[in-house]
Amino acid sequence: MGIYTRDIDAKASTEFTFSRFFVPMLTGYKGWALFIDCDFLCLTDVKELFNQANDNYAVMVAKHDYTPKTTTKMDGKTQTIYPRKNWSSCMLWNCEHPSNKLLDLNAMNSNDGMWHHRFTWLGDHEIGEISHEWNWLTDWYDAPEDGTPKMLHYTEGGPWFEHLQDVPYAQQWRDAENEYKQSLQETVEDKIARDDGGW
């Protein structure tokens, strides 16, 4: 679409470090939308999260008080520590909230990471809160002391990396992966049966 014109940022740890903030614009500033990082596993119907949408807020997030335990994350990327860390990893966007109109192409393509990830364009009263159970930092929270996870967030990397097979909640990831692969196999088998064995 030619709307993302930022230069490569050395501090950006993922391809969506900044593009996540394009969500309201991509919806035409209409309705509600959810952004989550790629290292999440949903354990509960996400409709339950959308049911919490409150039009008073421009965005709703889990307001972690989180300081990473390591200096690197995921696949060796540098771990940057800043206020409101991991708030932007799961965002329930009120795309038509007037304050989100400040997220125009000029702002999104020119402002730095601090401006984005600290939600600088918003007043504190415009940032609603969802339970941390919807952004369960697997290296930070423990069940049942901290509640029950609804979406797991493998902030330090997960069992899709060979050297991280024993991280917390690794089995839940493997179970979901196996269920997904099984669903693909069933789809192939259904197609074969439907086509009498031919492609």
Side-chain angles (χ1 to χ4, degrees), residues 89-109:
S89 57
C90 175
M91 296 181 285
L92 188 60
W93 285 104
N94 180 359
C95 298
E96 54 196 85
H97 190 283
S99 293
N100 284 332
K101 295 284 179 65
L102 297 172
L103 290 171
D104 60 19
L105 284 179
N106 179 61
M108 291 185 293
N109 280 311

Side-chain angles (χ1 to χ4, degrees), residues 107-118:
M108 291 185 293
N109 280 311
S110 59
N111 290 331
D112 64 12
M114 181 187 304
W115 187 88
H116 286 84
H117 291 275
R118 295 185 190 179

Side-chain angles (χ1 to χ4, degrees), residues 60-191:
M60 300 179 71
V61 300
K63 297 182 177 181
H64 309 288
D65 182 13
Y66 172 68
T67 303
K69 301 172 185 176
T70 62
T71 57
T72 59
K73 65 179 180 178
M74 289 291 284
D75 51 350
K77 298 288 188 181
T78 300
Q79 181 74 266
T80 305
I81 298 174
Y82 53 86
R84 300 182 172 179
K85 178 76 173 174
N86 266 314
W87 287 22
S88 61
S89 57
C90 175
M91 296 181 285
L92 188 60
W93 285 104
N94 180 359
C95 298
E96 54 196 85
H97 190 283
S99 293
N100 284 332
K101 295 284 179 65
L102 297 172
L103 290 171
D104 60 19
L105 284 179
N106 179 61
M108 291 185 293
N109 280 311
S110 59
N111 290 331
D112 64 12
M114 181 187 304
W115 187 88
H116 286 84
H117 291 275
R118 295 185 190 179
F119 301 90
T120 309
W121 74 95
L122 298 175
D124 288 351
H125 66 284
E126 296 176 302
I127 306 172
E129 186 164 10
I130 59 175
S131 168
H132 67 277
E133 294 173 324
W134 289 100
N135 190 348
W136 187 274
L137 310 178
T138 58
D139 63 311
W140 189 254
Y141 296 119
D142 293 306
E145 297 91 332
D146 298 317
T148 304
K150 296 180 184 295
M151 285 200 299
L152 299 170
H153 184 188
Y154 297 84
T155 55
E156 305 290 340
W160 54 90
F161 292 120
E162 191 62 38
H163 64 289
L164 295 175
Q165 294 302 299
D166 298 319
V167 297
Y169 302 99
Q171 191 56 49
Q172 284 86 339
W173 181 274
R174 284 191 284 269
D175 290 347
E177 181 183 35
N178 289 336
E179 183 179 341
Y180 172 67
K181 287 179 178 177
Q182 182 63 36
S183 73
L184 292 180
Q185 184 59 38
E186 290 170 357
T187 301
V188 170
E189 290 171 355
D190 289 345
K191 179 167 179 54

